[in-house]
């Protein structure tokens, strides 16, 4: 089962990001995320058979025991699942490290853990140790969990308000590219064979080395320094460096930082942590939005579609090799849509694009299920199933793929943000685990009807988004917090969607609270 996690327009942006410096640096660091995700068996075709054979051989030579089919399947399931366990642990750890070590510090911790994992992968065959393989999977899962919870938050905190959406997309873009690279490299003609599979698992060490050097020169989040660490002079200095302007030209952003600091201090009491975020009723609605969108990524069936794609392409008359190449082509479509989502996030509202993505994704899931069911009766249905696969991937990639990664940074203020992002990331990994655990059972008993289950989940997510997700593009998180503070009794859509004016958006009493 493939476990991969398939990844604003105001004027004068160049003065905020001179010569694309910030985008270039963050894209390089995002490469750390994308290559670590190569570990996720991104539809590696025959790779799992090669590694299974190694596991059997390792156990036999080290312990003198030959595994029967059931035992070998259990061991393989453990190797697969331990990655997701690591991802969940890393997601929760993201909250702790993001506050204690800083956003940049958390990324450094992730890099170190990822490097240890890569060494274990590379040495596992030489040492003939299945234990090293399992340890590497656990550690790379932890590293990836840290990345997916901290990186989107870091990018959006560095970016000026008009560019927060496009910058937030860089992390899922890196993930999507990493999945595609993993699909290509895991072909048996390249690294997906008996001789080179350790090189495949450890090849992300090369970009990790490059990104670790880049990481030294990246700035810490000014918001973190100003609001959490209480170092305003250093924060303003970093902000001036990022924007490439003199400090006296940053009055607007400095005032925004001061307002966020005041809101955070008023709410703080005890330090923010995961338990407090879970029990604070004013955060219930935004937390459910973040977690449902993150889990909805997985429950939409994106991994199931990629898993089923080879068989779908084969039924349409393609050979096994060509079916594998066609699946890689679907991965290219996914990458193209991730790239396209950058200008989309800059120009269009989150609610509109997300609802469009959910609607069209549902349509293609239903189309795919019907086409697969009727393939044996109507020959041309196999071609319609290809349309279903490609259509689903394209519609998923335009919004359902990228938005859940960064929406938490726009829904939450700086104080509760790390914990909320960690919980959202954990929901994503948990959804990944559940789909991986039950999809084979669903295929056995429901067959192509499984895609109707995924479609029903997407429909439910659509209505939740439609009624409760406020528009976040171009708006301050403090405004969003006021709109959502009454939980399900909130009316987040009653204020003007595109308003950036506090007077237009809130009542007088709410303005005074700010």
């Amino acid at each position: 089962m493939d476990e991969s996690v398939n990844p604003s327009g105001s004027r004068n942006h160049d003065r905020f990001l001179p010569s694309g410096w910030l985008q270039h640096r963050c894209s390089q660091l995002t490469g750390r995320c994308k290559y670590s995700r190569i570990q996720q068996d991104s539809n590696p075709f025959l790779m799992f058979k090669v590694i299974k054979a190694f596991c059997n051989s390792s156990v036999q030579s080290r312990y003198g025991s030959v595994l029967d089919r059931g035992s070998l399947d259990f061991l393989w399931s453990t190797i697969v699942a331990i990655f997701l366990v690591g991802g969940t642990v890393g997601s929760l750890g993201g909250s702790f490290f993001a506050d204690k070590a800083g956003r940049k510090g958390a990324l450094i911790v992730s890099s170190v853990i990822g490097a240890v994992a890569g060494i274990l992968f590379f040495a596992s065959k030489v040492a003939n140790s299945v234990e090293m393989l399992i340890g590497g999977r656990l550690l790379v899962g932890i590293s990836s969990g840290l990345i997916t919870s901290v990186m989107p938050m870091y990018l959006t905190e560095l970016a000026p308000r008009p560019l927060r959406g496009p910058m937030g997309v860089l992390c899922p873009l890196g993930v999507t590219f990493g999945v595609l690279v993993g699909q290509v490299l895991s072909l048996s003609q390249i690294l997906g064979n008996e001789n080179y599979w350790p090189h495949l698992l450890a090849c992300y060490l090369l970009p990790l080395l490059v990104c670790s050097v880049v990481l030294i020169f990246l700035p810490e989040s000014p918001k973190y320094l100003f609001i959490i660490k209480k170092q305003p002079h250093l924060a303003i200095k970093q902000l001036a460096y990022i924007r490439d302007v003199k400090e006296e030209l940053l009055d607007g952003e400095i005032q925004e930082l001061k307002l966020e600091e005041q809101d955070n201090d008023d709410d703080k009491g005890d330090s923010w942590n995961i338990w407090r975020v879970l029990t604070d009723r004013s955060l219930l609605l935004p937390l459910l939005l973040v977690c449902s969108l993150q889990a909805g990524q997985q429950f939409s069936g994106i991994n199931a579609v990629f898993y089923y794609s080879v068989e779908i392409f084969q039924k349409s008359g393609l050979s096994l090799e060509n079916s594998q190449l066609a699946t890689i082509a679907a991965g290219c479509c996914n990458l193209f849509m991730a790239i396209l989502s950058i200008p989309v996030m800059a120009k269009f509202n989150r609610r509109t694009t997300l609802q469009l993505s959910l609607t069209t994704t549902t349509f293609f899931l239903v189309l795919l299920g019907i086409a697969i069911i009727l393939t044996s009766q109507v020959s041309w249905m196999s071609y319609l199933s290809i349309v279903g696969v490609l259509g689903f991937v394209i519609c998923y990639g335009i919004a359902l793929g990228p938005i859940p990664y960064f929406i938490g940074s726009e829904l939450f203020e700086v104080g509760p943000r790390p914990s909320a992002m960690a919980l959202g990331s954990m929901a994503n990994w948990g959804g990944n685990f559940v789909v991986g655990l039950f999809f084979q059972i669903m295929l056995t008993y429901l067959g192509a009807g499984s895609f109707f289950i995924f479609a029903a989940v997407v429909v439910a997510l659509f209505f939740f988004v439609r009624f409760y997700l406020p528009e976040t593009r171009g708006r301050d998180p403090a405004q969003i917090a006021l709109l959502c503070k009454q939980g399900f009794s909130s009316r987040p859509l009653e204020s003007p969607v595109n308003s950036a004016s506090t007077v237009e958006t809130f009542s007088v009493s709410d303005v005074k609270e700010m």
Side-chain angles (χ1 to χ4, degrees):
M1 173 66 194
D2 175 1
E3 335 169 333
S4 64
V5 180
N6 293 335
S8 301
S10 82
R11 52 198 171 94
N12 200 18
H13 292 163
D14 287 342
R15 81 176 179 88
F16 291 111
L17 298 175
S19 304
W21 177 87
L22 182 58
Q23 289 180 327
H24 173 67
R25 288 288 187 261
C26 290
S27 294
Q28 286 181 295
L29 186 57
T30 302
R32 161 68 190 88
C33 175
K34 71 187 181 186
Y35 278 94
S36 73
R37 306 296 281 202
I38 290 174
Q39 312 309 313
Q40 294 184 49
D41 304 331
S42 49
N43 203 8
F45 312 126
L46 302 178
M47 258 300 295
F48 74 95
K49 294 182 179 179
V50 173
I51 301 180
K52 263 189 173 182
F54 162 77
C55 294
N56 200 7
S57 173
S58 174
V59 171
Q60 182 178 359
S61 62
R62 290 170 65 86
Y63 302 105
S65 175
V66 178
L67 298 177
D68 57 30
R69 181 172 180 177
S71 299
L72 184 58
D73 286 343
F74 177 78
L75 176 59
W76 179 249
S77 299
T78 301
I79 293 172
V80 171
I82 201 71
F83 175 82
L84 300 175
V85 172
T88 303
V89 172
S91 296
L92 293 176
S95 172
F96 173 81
F97 287 111
D99 273 346
K100 299 301 181 183
R103 292 16 174 183
K104 177 179 175 180
L107 296 177
I108 292 174
V109 171
S110 175
S111 297
V112 172
I113 295 173
V116 175
I119 293 171
L120 289 176
F121 285 137
F122 192 79
S124 58
K125 184 179 180 182
V126 175
N128 195 26
S129 172
V130 69
E131 295 87 353
M132 294 178 71
L133 178 60
I134 294 173
R137 289 278 293 179
L138 175 63
L139 291 177
V140 82
I142 294 173
S143 176
S144 297
L146 279 170
I147 280 283
T148 54
S149 64
V150 176
M151 176 66 80
M153 173 172 53
Y154 176 68
L155 294 178
T156 53
E157 287 184 0
L158 287 183
R161 185 183 296 181
L163 293 179
R164 285 173 189 168
M167 287 293 287
V169 171
L170 289 181
C171 184
L173 172 62
V175 171
T176 303
F177 182 65
V179 170
L180 179 60
V181 171
Q183 288 177 324
V184 173
L185 294 182
S186 59
L187 291 171
S188 58
Q189 303 95 311
I190 305 178
L191 295 179
N193 52 59
E194 185 177 357
N195 294 324
Y196 295 111
W197 66 263
H199 299 75
L200 171 65
L201 295 180
C203 66
Y204 72 89
L205 286 174
L206 295 177
L208 174 61
L209 177 62
V210 175
C211 293
S212 297
V213 174
V214 172
L215 187 58
I216 298 173
F217 300 99
L218 287 176
E220 181 55 89
S221 163
K223 285 192 175 183
Y224 168 76
L225 293 172
F226 197 103
I227 298 170
I228 305 299
K229 296 298 288 182
K230 305 297 184 183
Q231 298 177 348
H233 295 296
L234 180 58
I236 294 171
K237 182 179 179 181
Q238 289 279 48
L239 187 61
Y241 173 60
I242 294 169
R243 302 290 187 260
D244 194 28
V245 297
K246 295 181 179 180
E247 293 181 10
E248 52 265 28
L249 299 178
L250 295 171
D251 287 344
E253 290 198 72
I254 292 173
Q255 288 303 316
E256 182 180 330
L257 288 172
K258 290 179 178 179
L259 286 173
E260 287 196 52
E261 181 186 31
Q262 181 179 347
D263 289 338
N264 186 68
D265 291 342
D266 291 343
D267 277 343
K268 193 164 184 179
D270 297 329
S271 297
W272 284 105
N273 53 47
I274 288 178
W275 177 249
R276 186 181 174 194
V277 169
L278 284 171
T279 55
D280 190 326
R281 294 185 62 83
S282 68
L283 301 180
L284 174 63
L285 182 57
L287 184 61
L288 287 176
L289 284 166
V290 168
C291 291
S292 62
L293 285 170
Q294 286 271 29
Q297 269 194 342
Q298 301 304 315
F299 290 129
S300 70
I302 181 65
N303 291 329
V305 169
F306 272 101
Y307 172 83
Y308 219 51
S309 59
V310 173
E311 183 176 342
I312 291 172
F313 292 132
Q314 281 188 283
K315 285 183 177 180
S316 68
L318 297 179
S319 65
L320 174 60
E321 182 178 352
N322 288 335
S323 296
Q324 294 169 355
L325 295 177
T327 298
I328 292 175
C332 291
C333 289
N334 199 21
L335 175 61
F336 172 76
M337 295 310 298
I339 296 172
L340 183 62
S341 67
I342 296 177
V344 167
M345 290 302 103
K347 296 180 180 179
F348 298 97
N349 289 337
R350 316 288 188 251
R351 277 176 47 81
T352 304
T353 53
L354 187 55
Q355 289 180 78
L356 178 63
S357 177
L358 291 168
T359 302
T360 51
T361 295
T362 302
F363 170 78
F364 283 109
L365 280 171
V366 173
L367 178 68
L368 179 60
I370 293 174
I372 293 174
I373 291 173
L374 298 179
T375 294
S376 59
Q377 303 173 30
V378 183
S379 59
W380 55 267
M381 280 291 174
S382 59
Y383 299 101
L384 192 62
S385 64
I386 295 177
V387 174
V389 170
L390 297 179
F392 172 82
V393 169
I394 290 172
C395 295
Y396 170 92
I398 196 63
L400 183 55
I403 287 179
Y405 277 96
F406 68 85
I407 195 68
S409 293
E410 298 185 338
L411 287 172
F412 287 90
E413 296 180 87
V414 173
R417 184 177 294 159
S419 296
M421 296 287 284
L423 289 167
S425 181
M426 186 182 70
N428 190 300
W429 290 95
N432 198 338
F433 179 79
V434 171
V435 173
L437 186 64
F438 290 105
F439 182 59
Q440 286 290 348
I441 299 174
M442 291 170 65
L443 278 182
T444 301
Y445 292 99
L446 299 177
S450 304
F451 295 107
F452 300 144
I453 304 296
F454 295 135
V457 172
V458 176
V459 169
L461 185 59
F462 169 83
F463 283 108
F464 188 35
V465 167
R466 183 167 182 81
F467 290 122
Y468 286 107
L469 178 67
E471 181 52 53
T472 60
R473 174 173 169 256
R475 301 172 77 175
D476 191 270
Q479 298 176 347
I480 305 301
L482 286 173
L483 290 175
C484 298
K485 68 179 181 180
Q486 299 300 324
F488 286 106
S489 298
S490 303
R491 296 292 180 266
L493 308 183
E494 290 183 355
S495 61
V497 170
N498 292 314
S499 174
S501 169
T502 304
V503 176
E504 292 177 359
T505 307
F506 303 110
S507 65
V508 174
S509 61
D510 283 339
V511 172
K512 289 180 179 179
E513 290 180 24
M514 293 181 63

